[in-house]
Amino acid sequence: FKRINDTYGHAAGDLALQVVASRLKGMARQEDTVARLGGDEFLYLLTELKSERDATLVAVKVLGALSEPCDMGSNNIVAMEGLHASIGIAIFPKHGGISADLIKCADEAMYRAKREKLGYSLAL
């Protein structure tokens, strides 16, 4: 979002956050939860997964949805390339028994995905 803010201004950055929230919410099942943790970080809580593979399939879908081009601007529409994300995945109870542990593991996996330019990474 720094690149968006620097290139198009903070209003466009705020709009980009709204686009991300809308796309994530639109993908979520009724039993799932999408929340903004702060800044440019979102939590996507999947419930009743059958396998870790299901979580990685959702991550791939999220990356695809975010990579779709979006329009920014108010009076002059500025066509932007898609947004890029790094996703960290933590699975209950394998990676933690409480939300704080799961978020910590997902955060570490997200930074690994970002560092290694993987798109997404499963917690170790």
Side-chain angles (χ1 to χ4, degrees):
F1 288 96
K2 180 180 180 345
R3 179 182 51 80
I4 295 169
N5 286 336
D6 291 348
T7 304
Y8 301 101
H10 289 281
D14 291 345
L15 186 57
L17 285 170
Q18 292 172 19
V19 168
V20 169
S22 176
R23 289 182 184 181
L24 291 176
K25 191 175 175 185
M27 295 179 65
R29 303 170 301 173
Q30 186 172 357
E31 62 268 22
D32 298 335
T33 301
V34 174
R36 181 175 170 207
L37 291 179
D40 61 355
E41 291 189 5
F42 289 83
L43 178 132
Y44 194 133
L45 176 65
L46 300 168
T47 59
E48 301 180 28
L49 293 179
K50 293 183 181 13
S51 70
E52 289 180 3
R53 186 170 186 279
D54 291 345
T56 61
L57 290 173
V58 171
V60 169
K61 288 180 183 178
V62 166
L63 292 170
L66 295 180
S67 70
E68 296 282 324
C70 56
D71 292 332
M72 298 293 181
S74 52
N75 296 334
N76 298 325
I77 295 178
V78 178
M80 291 184 49
E81 65 275 10
L83 303 168
H84 303 281
S86 298
I87 299 172
I89 301 169
I91 308 289
F92 172 86
K94 180 178 181 179
H95 300 115
I98 62 172
S99 60
D101 292 340
L102 290 166
I103 291 171
K104 180 178 183 254
C105 286
D107 203 43
E108 291 170 357
M110 186 248 335
Y111 281 110
R112 187 172 46 262
K114 186 179 291 194
R115 186 175 55 250
E116 298 176 13
K117 300 184 185 332
L118 299 172
Y120 70 89
S121 179
L122 188 62
L124 300 176

